[in-house]
């Protein structure tokens, strides 16, 4: 992408910062609730959200880990854009 394209992209991203800051408590509550509601299986110790990338697209993946922080299971994976929309509208579920 050209320098001008990068500048425009950065400007667009910065324009979202006030909305994100305003909704941060809601986001934290929603994410925490989703993580607490993951039903752990076997040796799983906790759930976490991991950001991954495939084919130049970012994804949010809900995973479980054991006590030694080894990945046990990928519960759900959705595109980053879909995650943001769902979390802001309170519709993100497992």
């Amino acid at each position: 992408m050209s320098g001008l394209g990068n500048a425009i992209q950065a400007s667009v991203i910065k324009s979202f910062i006030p909305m994100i800051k305003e909704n941060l408590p809601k986001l934290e509550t929603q994410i925490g609730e989703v993580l607490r509601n993951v039903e752990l299986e076997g040796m799983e110790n906790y759930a976490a959200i991991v950001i991954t990338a495939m084919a130049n697209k970012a994804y949010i993946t809900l995973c479980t880990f054991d006590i030694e922080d080894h990945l046990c299971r990928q519960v759900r994976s959705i595109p980053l854009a879909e995650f943001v929309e769902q979390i802001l509208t309170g519709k993100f579920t497992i």
Side-chain angles (χ1 to χ4, degrees):
M1 185 175 281
S2 70
L4 179 58
N6 287 338
I8 292 170
Q9 184 178 13
S11 176
V12 169
I13 291 170
K14 285 180 183 177
S15 72
F16 288 113
I17 291 174
M19 181 187 66
I20 292 169
K21 284 184 178 181
E22 178 183 322
N23 287 290
L24 197 53
K26 177 182 174 182
L27 295 173
E28 289 175 338
T29 300
Q30 180 82 14
I31 290 169
E33 193 173 304
V34 167
L35 292 174
R36 283 188 297 279
N37 287 327
V38 173
E39 291 187 34
L40 300 175
E41 302 172 353
M43 300 298 288
E44 296 172 343
N45 191 50
Y46 66 95
I49 292 176
V50 177
I51 300 173
T52 59
M54 291 182 283
N56 294 331
K57 281 193 162 191
Y59 292 85
I60 298 295
T61 303
L62 182 59
C63 300
T64 60
F65 294 85
D66 67 13
I67 198 163
E68 295 178 353
D69 299 325
H70 296 124
L71 176 67
C72 295
R73 176 171 54 112
Q74 292 183 9
V75 178
R76 180 176 180 210
S77 186
I78 62 171
L80 177 61
E82 188 177 326
F83 170 77
V84 171
E85 181 179 337
Q86 288 182 12
I87 204 77
L88 288 173
T89 60
K91 296 179 182 177
F92 182 69
T93 59
I94 299 169

